[in-house]
Amino acid sequence: MNTINTRRSIRKYADKDVSDELLNRLLAEAARTQTMGNMQLYSVVVTRSAEMKAKLAPAHFNQPMVTEAPVVLTVCADFNRASLWCRQRKAEPGYDNFLSFINAATDALLYTQTFCNLAEEEGLGLCFLGTTVYMPQMIIDTLRLPQLVMPVATITLGWPAEEPPLSDRLPLCSFVHGETYHDYSPSDIDRCYAEKEALEENKEFVRINNKETLAQVYAEIRYTKKDNEAMSAGMMDALRRQGFI
């Protein structure tokens, strides 16, 4: 079976190193992924030391896997390198703008996903940390990222010490649109989310949070408007500091 069909987020790791040889091979192979203009607008900061992982942990809400994983990878949208290259070759770069950030972030995320697929094929376990974009300035300061470099993804990596159940996914009909986007009717929404809402673990999730529906847990507890707006402001401020807007 293709590993993508059994992939799961791994948060607990065996006390076993990930060799430099294996890691470097995977990092090099991942570079064959798609990239805008063949520019490879990304950089990867590899964190192995306990000291540096401890410094990164607060930016990720001190999730245990940040300090417990053998390796932490921070993937950055990077137009600094390309800009330096341009200036050193008598060309004036114009990449201090939001479009350039989007292009570099897209490159970085494509690279990240390709790396994840390759790593899991080797039997490694990993977890993608969505917290990277919540408090980016802390990561920027910790990793000493220069202007035109912005963290967009973090991966904890190691050999799995757990086999959690597969997480649920929405059915194909909920996200594939033929020819043009077809907006969702109330009955469409019911059909898209019926299986997810019927899962016992999600029903329990609703119960322990004292809510009526799973959507309320997501909108009112997990990902609130207040938090989204506060972290959006932090993201915009970091983008300004890094020279993208």
Side-chain angles (χ1 to χ4, degrees):
M1 181 181 291
N2 192 311
T3 55
I4 197 68
N5 292 315
T6 57
R7 76 148 312 278
R8 60 202 78 207
S9 293
I10 300 298
R11 295 174 173 84
K12 295 182 179 179
Y13 303 96
D15 185 16
K16 178 182 176 183
D17 190 30
V18 178
S19 71
D20 285 334
E21 180 183 12
L22 174 58
L23 179 60
N24 288 337
R25 175 168 65 80
L26 294 173
L27 290 169
E29 289 176 353
R32 296 306 307 170
T33 198
Q34 305 93 321
T35 171
M36 193 200 81
N38 201 29
M39 294 178 73
Q40 295 181 251
L41 303 170
Y42 48 79
S43 283
V44 184
V45 180
V46 180
T47 302
R48 287 185 177 272
S49 78
E51 179 185 2
M52 286 302 296
K53 285 186 280 190
K55 289 180 178 180
L56 279 173
H60 298 289
F61 299 96
N62 291 307
Q63 295 177 86
M65 59 272 199
V66 176
T67 53
E68 294 172 3
V71 181
V72 177
L73 303 177
T74 306
V75 186
C76 303
D78 185 350
F79 248 120
N80 174 58
R81 183 184 64 248
S83 295
L84 291 172
W85 173 60
C86 286
R87 292 194 178 97
Q88 201 162 316
R89 296 294 184 268
K90 302 178 181 180
E92 185 57 34
Y95 306 125
D96 54 346
N97 47 70
F98 187 66
L99 178 64
S100 295
F101 167 70
I102 292 296
N103 285 332
T106 300
D107 260 24
L109 292 172
L110 285 168
Y111 178 89
T112 301
Q113 185 58 65
T114 300
F115 175 87
C116 289
N117 291 344
L118 292 170
E120 288 174 334
E121 287 176 4
E122 293 287 338
L124 288 161
L126 53 89
C127 186
F128 181 98
L129 305 185
T131 44
T132 305
V133 296
Y134 291 176
M135 293 187 289
Q137 193 60 51
M138 292 181 67
I139 299 172
I140 291 166
D141 294 341
T142 300
L143 300 181
R144 302 178 184 175
L145 304 182
Q147 283 208 323
L148 299 184
V149 181
M150 187 77 178
V152 295
T154 300
I155 301 295
T156 58
L157 182 73
W159 300 103
E162 63 172 347
E163 190 174 347
L166 295 177
S167 54
D168 63 275
R169 291 292 185 266
L170 295 174
L172 191 68
C173 62
S174 67
F175 57 85
V176 174
H177 302 256
E179 307 300 343
T180 62
Y181 189 101
H182 300 279
D183 208 354
Y184 301 89
S185 68
S187 61
D188 290 333
I189 293 296
D190 289 342
R191 184 168 59 254
C192 290
Y193 289 90
E195 185 175 345
K196 188 182 195 76
E197 292 173 333
L199 292 172
E200 288 302 320
E201 57 263 39
N202 285 337
K203 289 181 179 179
E204 177 66 6
F205 198 31
V206 173
R207 187 192 67 77
I208 63 176
N209 283 286
N210 298 309
K211 291 296 181 181
E212 182 181 356
T213 69
L214 185 62
Q216 289 175 342
V217 177
Y218 276 81
E220 298 172 13
I221 295 179
R222 295 196 72 186
Y223 307 107
T224 67
K225 177 180 176 64
K226 178 182 177 182
D227 288 344
N228 287 336
E229 289 179 343
M231 289 184 286
S232 292
M235 169 65 80
M236 296 302 287
D237 185 57
L239 285 170
R240 290 188 188 93
R241 288 170 179 260
Q242 295 307 99
F244 279 114
I245 56 176

